[in-house]
Amino acid sequence: MDEVDISDLREKYEVQLEQGYDTFVVIDGLPQVTEEQKPKLIKFLLRKLNTVGRTSEDAIHMPMGDDGLSLRFAFVEFSSAAEAAAAVRQLDDVPLDKRNTMRVNKFTDIDRYGREGRIDEEYTPPQIEPFQEKEHLRWFMADPSGRGRDQFVMFRGETVGVFWNNEKDQPENIVDRQQWTETFMQWSPLGTYLTSVHAQGVLLWGGPSWARLRRFAHPFVNLVAFSPNEKYMVTWSNRPISIPDSGHSALSIDDDGKNYVIWDIETSKPLRSFAQQDTPAGEDQAAKKPAKFPWPAFKWSADDKYVARLNQGTSVSVYELPRMNLLDKTAIKVEGVMDFEWAPATPRREGVKEYEQLLCFWTPEIGSNPAKVALMSIPSKQVVRSLNLFNVSDAKLHWQSDAAYICVKVDRHSKSKKSLATTLEIFRVREKGVPVEVVDTIKDTVINFAWEPKGDRFVIITTTEPVGATAVPPKTAVAFFCPEKAKGNTVGNFKHLRTLEKKNSNAIYWSPKGRFVVIATVANTQSSDLDFFDVDFEGDKPEAEKDLTANLQLMNTSEHYGVTDVEWDPSGRYVATWASAWKHAMENGYHLYDFRGELLREEALEKFKQFAWRPRPPTLLSKEEQKQIRKNLREYSRVFDVEDQERISSADVAVVEARRRMLMEWVGWREEVESEEVEERAALGLPENPAEEILKAKTAAAAAAMAVSKPDGAGKQEDQVVEELAEEVLEEAEEIVI
């Protein structure tokens, strides 16, 4: 009987060796147990393994030794390769108890790295490299001039440079490099790293030598975002990752097709990758313009312990760092959720002693259900405060920098939906029960809102015209709000301070130290105003504002034509404005102002693209030490004023000395030329003083002419008029021209 040819079936259904083993993992570090204890350990393992995938008791093989004790490792089969990869990523290095820590590796990795010939039979102790002192990454905090200057980076043309700020003088260049980045530069939140972005990935630079410190190989990366404490980073590319057959230096096959990668900065290793989500469009949104790309798509808690992602309309996924596992193994389901924001600082709620982080989210009106804003405590997932809202068109969440307040800017439509008005719902997070104060005196639409950093005052910009792209930007009004004065440490109700009408302003920039604020008109071809305000002016206070905690004063007004960006330096002393070639090609360059609005320096630079101040880490001084410094600020100011005056005087003396030196050089050169001229005249037989010889010749000629003019035989002498020229020095003064 002829054999049946089943080669086509074998080719179709045969399991490839490496592919078949991709679902297996090897677990090391297990406690040593007997045959009787083995089932109990397997059940304990199953509870952990099933958090990342599906497996069973039959899929766990735990080898036993000849002595009847386990060999402290096990083979586990998952239902898919993706689940096996998740087990390696999330369960590796997880403690089982006080003495045992689980190590999880892919079975294919064991074969790949541990096959015969790749590991020496004899143990060779690792070679310990000699200690090499590394550069201090916070070196920029010690300004060599002793003046506490800040650094900034400028990207112009194809050149990137880092500079010390020298106020009115030319910035002091620290480093200048061509082709340092392919798209843009970015500082990390505490100023430790300077980020450059390339087609091959992201590079971090730092230290006095500006050496390359970290490399994150995410191909065709577009955007980068750091966690607040610089422990983690997320990168995004609009092109899904494609892992070649030859493999990738940092990413694995599990990352193929993903757009986002979460990285551990210290190790430069990826923690987890994610694909891009399609933003769902409801029936009401279908006719509107497409939703903006959400960035940052991953948002960090203030202490870097959590990172969260919005699944718009359904849930919020909160991941624990660094394991990147879902908190409580499930996303937080919130029907219709539109947006959320973490508190920017660890909250300190009255009566709450246990650890928590807060996030705030809002949902629109769905059917007969009202819109809702809620505060949720993490990790308990307990809603600590919620608020129902009606007639809501849109909402924006604005945390105050210390997490003392969160303002929900609610745009409400009329019943006819033809007009909009804005109310501000302010949650007082630190007060018992988190009371909500409503500011409903605003009749127009608020287009911008900004809290005072570390303070309790805010500024809004409103307009009566429809919000959106228009040929002529709408007229706006700028309104200032502050609390009333209250007894003790309590904060009074928020009251309207003052409104400035008929403005073109569209942007608010508070000093990072509070008190001073710049109200600007940016990206506007018709206006480029910059208004500098002090909300704690030390002069007289209007009688109507006696009970308020602010005294508003316009310090200065300036204009920077074509301004596209404004940024305060981290000390709150200087403001930089610039016109970027990324947005237009007219009069690109930057201006530098002090906090009062005095223009210190302006520089036009062709193809000027970017300006960014280097951030500073938080101060190491305690609150008491800071309070003492503020108390003695006038004494410190005298010292600083003397130092500034000496620096200015020394600069003036240097200029005078330089000009005097130039004058002496010119006088010496002139004497040398005159000496050479005398020698040349003597060699040629010419008189030493030609002017004197010419004067003698003229005098002789005049005498001869007079003699010729007398009549012959004249007996009597005629009167003669003699004209003499005399020089008299009336006053003489010596002046040094500088």
Side-chain angles (χ1 to χ4, degrees):
M1 181 178 178
D2 296 336
E3 292 184 2
V4 179
D5 184 9
I6 60 171
S7 59
D8 56 336
L9 296 175
R10 181 181 290 110
E11 181 180 354
K12 183 175 181 180
Y13 294 105
E14 184 177 20
V15 177
Q16 299 296 323
L17 183 62
E18 186 172 345
Q19 180 182 350
Y21 287 152
D22 273 347
T23 60
F24 286 86
V25 298
V26 181
I27 301 179
D28 292 294
L30 301 177
Q32 197 169 48
V33 296
T34 62
E35 192 70 42
E36 291 77 17
Q37 296 171 321
K38 179 178 172 182
K40 187 176 180 180
L41 178 58
I42 289 177
K43 287 182 180 179
F44 177 75
L45 280 177
L46 274 175
R47 288 200 296 270
K48 290 189 174 293
L49 297 174
N50 284 327
T51 62
V52 296
R54 288 181 298 165
T55 186
S56 63
E57 290 186 30
D58 297 335
I60 300 177
H61 175 62
M62 189 177 297
M64 306 295 289
D66 296 336
D67 56 357
L69 298 176
S70 65
L71 299 179
R72 301 193 64 187
F73 68 90
F75 300 98
V76 180
E77 182 181 10
F78 283 93
S79 59
S80 69
E83 291 178 356
V88 173
R89 186 170 53 245
Q90 299 182 38
L91 298 180
D92 183 42
D93 214 20
V94 171
L96 289 173
D97 53 35
K98 291 183 178 179
R99 292 182 297 175
N100 299 284
T101 299
M102 186 164 53
R103 300 309 307 266
V104 185
N105 292 280
K106 291 183 180 179
F107 184 83
T108 51
D109 288 345
I110 301 294
D111 182 60
R112 183 183 306 159
Y113 301 120
R115 69 176 59 164
E116 187 176 355
R118 296 198 176 185
I119 298 180
D120 294 334
E121 294 295 332
E122 295 183 6
Y123 171 73
T124 304
Q127 182 179 359
I128 300 176
E129 297 290 336
F131 172 75
Q132 293 182 349
E133 187 174 354
K134 295 183 178 180
E135 294 181 333
H136 200 303
L137 299 183
R138 297 272 173 90
W139 66 278
F140 59 93
M141 298 296 291
D143 176 10
S145 72
R147 292 156 50 195
R149 297 176 298 176
D150 281 295
Q151 293 181 4
F152 58 83
V153 63
M154 287 198 294
F155 185 12
R156 64 264 191 242
E158 299 302 322
T159 305
V160 174
V162 180
F163 301 82
W164 288 109
N165 174 29
N166 273 341
E167 304 171 18
K168 295 182 179 181
D169 299 329
Q170 181 76 20
E172 180 184 333
N173 182 251
I174 305 169
V175 62
D176 238 357
R177 292 180 184 174
Q178 295 283 333
Q179 309 290 339
W180 201 346
T181 184
E182 294 179 18
T183 51
F184 62 91
M185 304 295 286
Q186 179 176 329
W187 294 107
S188 59
L190 303 181
T192 307
Y193 306 107
L194 180 61
T195 310
S196 62
V197 182
H198 310 266
Q200 295 82 11
V202 174
L203 298 176
L204 300 187
W205 309 80
S209 64
W210 296 98
R212 191 182 79 182
L213 303 175
R214 304 283 187 274
R215 179 176 180 267
F216 305 91
H218 186 167
F220 306 107
V221 62
N222 297 109
L223 294 173
V224 179
F226 289 86
S227 66
N229 297 312
E230 300 182 345
K231 292 182 180 179
Y232 309 102
M233 181 176 69
V234 59
T235 55
W236 171 78
S237 173
N238 59 352
R239 301 191 199 182
I241 294 170
S242 178
I243 303 297
D245 295 337
S246 58
H248 190 275
S249 60
L251 304 175
S252 67
I253 192 66
D254 303 318
D255 303 310
D256 193 78
K258 308 295 180 61
N259 301 82
Y260 300 91
V261 182
I262 309 288
W263 304 84
D264 184 308
I265 292 180
E266 184 63 32
T267 63
S268 302
K269 291 182 179 179
L271 299 177
R272 189 166 178 178
S273 58
F274 297 85
Q276 188 156 309
Q277 295 176 332
D278 294 326
T279 304
E283 295 179 3
D284 296 338
Q285 296 175 337
K288 297 181 181 180
K289 61 183 181 180
K292 292 183 179 179
F293 169 71
W295 183 259
F298 289 84
K299 300 177 182 180
W300 317 89
S301 65
D303 59 356
D304 285 11
K305 287 189 176 181
Y306 304 100
V307 63
R309 183 187 194 185
L310 176 70
N311 308 306
Q312 192 167 20
T314 60
S315 62
V316 177
S317 298
V318 179
Y319 299 90
E320 295 181 277
L321 289 161
R323 291 170 55 198
M324 284 303 297
N325 58 294
L326 267 175
L327 180 63
D328 297 335
K329 308 172 190 177
T330 181
I332 303 170
K333 297 190 180 299
V334 183
E335 184 182 3
V337 61
M338 295 297 292
D339 195 13
F340 79 95
E341 293 290 345
W342 286 100
T346 299
R348 299 191 300 275
R349 292 193 294 133
E350 184 177 342
V352 178
K353 296 182 179 180
E354 59 269 14
Y355 164 81
E356 69 170 355
Q357 294 292 324
L358 287 180
L359 64 79
C360 182
F361 62 85
W362 79 277
T363 61
E365 296 175 79
I366 302 175
S368 60
N369 296 324
K372 185 171 74 172
V373 178
L375 277 178
M376 178 176 286
S377 177
I378 299 295
S380 67
K381 297 185 180 178
Q382 177 187 0
V383 174
V384 299
R385 186 69 162 88
S386 63
L387 181 69
N388 292 334
L389 303 168
F390 298 91
N391 302 327
V392 176
S393 294
D394 193 15
K396 291 288 186 293
L397 310 174
H398 300 276
W399 279 98
Q400 186 258 6
S401 61
D402 291 332
Y405 312 96
I406 181 170
C407 175
V408 183
K409 182 181 76 70
V410 183
D411 293 333
R412 301 177 185 268
H413 55 75
S414 60
K415 291 184 178 180
S416 63
K417 297 188 177 182
K418 292 183 179 179
S419 61
L420 288 176
T422 300
T423 60
L424 304 178
E425 314 281 341
I426 300 176
F427 291 68
R428 294 173 173 260
V429 178
R430 291 182 179 174
E431 297 181 21
K432 189 174 182 179
V434 191
V436 179
E437 181 179 345
V438 182
V439 179
D440 56 2
T441 57
I442 307 165
K443 298 180 180 180
D444 304 324
T445 304
V446 176
I447 61 172
N448 207 332
F449 176 100
W451 282 105
E452 175 189 19
K454 306 181 186 303
D456 46 25
R457 296 167 290 199
F458 60 86
V459 180
I460 62 173
I461 298 178
T462 63
T463 181
T464 57
E465 302 178 36
V467 179
T470 57
V472 179
K475 286 293 182 182
T476 59
V478 180
F480 296 79
F481 288 80
C482 67
E484 291 180 303
K485 290 181 179 178
K487 295 181 179 179
N489 295 325
T490 59
V491 178
N493 293 330
F494 290 96
K495 296 295 182 180
H496 173 252
L497 176 65
R498 207 176 302 172
T499 296
L500 310 175
E501 303 282 357
K502 298 180 181 179
K503 305 289 290 184
N504 296 306
S505 309
N506 56 14
I508 306 165
Y509 301 95
W510 280 98
S511 163
K513 303 299 183 182
R515 178 173 175 175
F516 304 104
V517 61
V518 176
I519 309 298
T521 308
V522 300
N524 187 327
T525 56
Q526 298 179 345
S527 177
S528 302
D529 297 332
L530 300 168
D531 297 330
F532 294 78
F533 289 93
D534 180 1
V535 295
D536 279 331
F537 181 60
E538 296 179 358
D540 294 334
K541 198 172 188 179
E543 188 63 33
E545 301 172 2
K546 292 288 186 182
D547 295 331
L548 301 180
T549 57
N551 188 16
L552 185 66
Q553 176 69 29
L554 175 63
M555 297 184 294
N556 211 337
T557 297
S558 187
E559 184 176 5
H560 181 177
Y561 177 73
V563 61
T564 59
D565 301 272
V566 179
E567 185 179 354
W568 284 84
D569 81 321
S571 71
R573 294 178 294 175
Y574 305 102
V575 181
T577 65
W578 64 95
S580 173
W582 285 333
K583 298 178 182 178
H584 63 72
M586 300 179 294
E587 299 187 22
N588 300 133
Y590 73 94
H591 288 188
L592 186 66
Y593 301 86
D594 68 6
F595 68 95
R596 296 166 298 185
E598 179 185 347
L599 179 62
L600 302 176
R601 177 175 176 77
E602 60 179 299
E603 188 172 5
L605 295 169
E606 188 177 355
K607 296 182 180 179
F608 184 87
K609 300 172 183 175
Q610 188 181 7
F611 183 108
W613 292 103
R614 187 170 196 170
R616 291 185 181 186
T619 178
L620 299 177
L621 299 175
S622 66
K623 289 188 176 180
E624 288 300 321
E625 290 172 326
Q626 294 180 53
K627 186 177 180 180
Q628 194 66 24
I629 290 174
R630 292 192 189 96
K631 184 178 179 181
N632 301 322
L633 192 58
R634 293 188 182 277
E635 295 180 15
Y636 292 117
S637 297
R638 293 191 191 98
V639 177
F640 297 146
D641 290 342
V642 170
E643 290 179 356
D644 289 344
Q645 192 61 44
E646 288 177 353
R647 180 167 51 86
I648 295 171
S649 299
S650 62
D652 292 343
V653 170
V655 171
V656 171
E657 290 297 330
R659 291 178 177 175
R660 180 178 284 113
R661 187 168 53 253
M662 292 172 63
L663 177 62
M664 297 307 295
E665 289 175 357
W666 181 81
V667 170
W669 172 82
R670 180 173 177 177
E671 290 176 351
E672 182 180 350
V673 170
E674 289 178 347
S675 175
E676 292 176 354
E677 185 182 7
V678 169
E679 292 178 359
E680 290 179 3
R681 287 185 172 279
L684 296 173
L686 297 175
E688 181 178 346
N689 191 342
E692 185 178 341
E693 295 295 329
I694 293 172
L695 183 60
K696 289 180 180 179
K698 285 186 176 181
T699 304
M706 290 177 61
V708 171
S709 63
K710 288 182 180 180
D712 294 336
K716 62 180 181 180
Q717 187 175 356
E718 296 182 357
D719 294 337
Q720 295 183 11
V721 178
V722 179
E723 186 175 322
E724 292 185 358
L725 297 177
E727 286 189 12
E728 182 179 356
V729 178
L730 300 177
E731 183 179 357
E732 185 175 357
E734 182 180 351
E735 181 179 356
I736 299 175
V737 180
I738 59 171

